[in-house]
Amino acid sequence: MRRYSPCLAVLAGFLFAASAFGQGKGGSAALIGTLTIKAKEGTKLPDSFDVVLYRSDRTESGRQSVKNHETYRFTGISSGDWELAIEGDGRTLGRLKFAINSTRSDVRQDLELEWREKSGPAATNAGTISSLDLYKRNPENDSLMKQALAERAKKNYAGAVKLLNQVVAADARDFEAWTDLGNALFAQGNQGEAEKAFRRALQEQPSYPLALLNLGKLNYGQKNYDAAIDILSQLVAAHPEAAEAHRFLGESYLRVKKGSKAVPELEEAARLDPENQAEAHLSLAALYDAANLKDRAAAEYEKFLAVKPNYADKKALEKYIRDNKKL
């Protein structure tokens, strides 16, 4: 996996758009992919998972029971908007919207999730959005991308930027490379050029969630909260499972003093990914404390400490809880 967030955490997630291969037959495509559920050693997973295909009107078009690491296949897929859902353990583990623009080629859509014991499965690494390798590039550019990611891993951001610039110069449609370029530029502290790179990625693929999330977080970091709200609202509408997007959308609403809109976003972030978005409880507690709703603030601090028991200021939070918790 090779996803880097420009702000707080490593990004990850589902493959977001379909990649074509082979030749479709009879005016329709086949949708094929492998389901991978990653889990810690010794974790007991369900025996199988359901991969469910929905049309744009949410009508179920097909359902297959698939074991971990097995391949699913749906046939007769026409052009249009589609959605895949992965179900297991009596719940929906994730959803993926995508579009098919042609039936001349079959489509591969691999799915990857990480299972978490406390909160169930979440998108790999960050519990937000996920993405497997998506853009198909030629061997030369693919080699440059691998070199760029190796340089970035060594924190040689200048080297990564140089290599990624070569990739997009050779193929300006490579929205993944534009996004990675934005990440490397941000790591250099070059926010202006990073923003241009993210916007160029979205010019090539307007719905690419990693670029949307990074651009939204960049605007948040620049205190351009209205822009962050606009971008992140688009993202959570398309990907309601994107916990980190909900978190930064809620934080943005707080900064423009729209607490009533911030609360459901922060609550959803904490619900979707309790471990990685636990700080949402701190923001909710601060909001309730300012509104003199101290019992609610105490409840949020209690939820936070349940997830982060080794928090540096634990004693101060515990005192607040004792003083204000509603009996």
Side-chain angles (χ1 to χ4, degrees):
M1 294 299 293
R2 65 164 212 269
R3 286 294 163 268
Y4 302 98
S5 162
C7 296
L8 292 184
V10 177
L11 293 178
F14 284 132
L15 181 64
F16 184 69
S19 57
F21 69 98
Q23 295 296 318
K25 297 179 181 180
S28 62
L31 178 65
I32 305 167
T34 299
L35 174 66
T36 302
I37 308 293
K38 293 186 175 182
K40 293 180 180 179
E41 186 175 354
T43 300
K44 174 67 174 176
L45 293 176
D47 292 334
S48 64
F49 302 85
D50 282 351
V51 178
V52 189
L53 180 66
Y54 292 96
R55 299 180 184 276
S56 58
D57 61 1
R58 299 303 302 277
T59 301
E60 185 174 321
S61 180
R63 177 184 292 264
Q64 292 185 16
S65 179
V66 181
K67 292 183 178 180
N68 194 16
H69 303 299
E70 284 191 348
T71 298
Y72 70 88
R73 179 185 180 94
F74 296 105
T75 58
I77 310 299
S78 58
S79 295
D81 295 326
W82 296 84
E83 181 175 338
L84 281 170
I86 301 87
E87 298 177 357
D89 196 29
R91 52 188 162 172
T92 299
L93 310 184
R95 292 184 179 275
L96 167 65
K97 293 182 179 180
F98 63 98
I100 295 179
N101 299 317
S102 172
T103 57
R104 291 179 295 177
S105 297
D106 289 344
V107 174
R108 185 170 190 90
Q109 191 76 73
D110 292 320
L111 305 170
E112 184 172 322
L113 293 170
E114 181 177 309
W115 186 273
R116 291 214 176 101
E117 291 293 336
K118 290 184 178 180
S119 58
T124 305
N125 294 333
T128 56
I129 304 167
S130 63
S131 174
L132 301 174
D133 289 344
L134 175 60
Y135 190 82
K136 186 173 180 60
R137 56 186 63 88
N138 62 41
E140 183 179 354
N141 268 11
D142 188 58
S143 177
L144 288 171
M145 282 289 292
K146 291 176 181 177
Q147 293 176 54
L149 294 169
E151 292 304 312
R152 193 187 188 289
K154 294 185 291 187
K155 298 186 178 180
N156 179 11
Y157 303 121
V161 167
K162 182 178 179 180
L163 290 163
L164 289 164
N165 272 321
Q166 293 179 48
V167 175
V168 297
D171 184 359
R173 297 171 300 174
D174 192 339
F175 53 88
E176 280 194 310
W178 281 113
T179 303
D180 285 330
L181 177 58
N183 296 338
L185 287 164
F186 189 94
Q188 280 187 307
N190 193 342
Q191 296 187 15
E193 291 302 312
E195 181 170 358
K196 290 179 183 178
F198 293 139
R199 290 194 180 279
R200 182 56 190 271
L202 293 169
Q203 180 181 328
E204 299 301 328
Q205 178 70 300
S207 58
Y208 190 44
L210 295 173
L212 282 169
L213 179 61
N214 289 359
L215 181 59
K217 291 169 66 176
L218 187 150
N219 275 276
Y220 174 85
Q222 293 176 328
K223 300 183 180 181
N224 190 356
Y225 302 122
D226 288 333
I229 288 169
D230 180 60
I231 294 163
L232 295 169
S233 293
Q234 296 176 48
L235 182 49
V236 299
H239 285 270
E241 76 283 0
E244 194 172 17
H246 283 288
R247 161 87 186 288
F248 277 89
L249 179 57
E251 299 287 359
S252 298
Y253 277 131
L254 283 180
R255 299 310 184 273
V256 296
K257 302 186 185 306
K258 294 184 178 179
S260 61
K261 291 188 175 182
V263 168
E265 300 299 337
L266 293 168
E267 289 179 339
E268 184 68 357
R271 185 190 71 80
L272 288 167
D273 190 5
E275 183 176 352
N276 290 294
Q277 304 305 324
E279 286 76 10
H281 292 299
L282 297 181
S283 296
L284 286 165
L287 176 64
Y288 290 138
D289 181 71
N292 203 32
L293 299 171
K294 296 187 181 297
D295 58 329
R296 292 191 185 182
E300 293 299 330
Y301 284 138
E302 201 165 35
K303 292 175 185 177
F304 174 78
L305 290 178
V307 180
K308 301 291 184 181
N310 298 319
Y311 183 60
D313 292 330
K314 178 179 180 178
K315 290 184 178 179
L317 297 191
E318 287 178 332
K319 183 180 186 304
Y320 187 101
I321 293 167
R322 288 195 302 270
D323 293 344
N324 298 283
K325 183 177 180 180
K326 190 173 183 179
L327 299 178

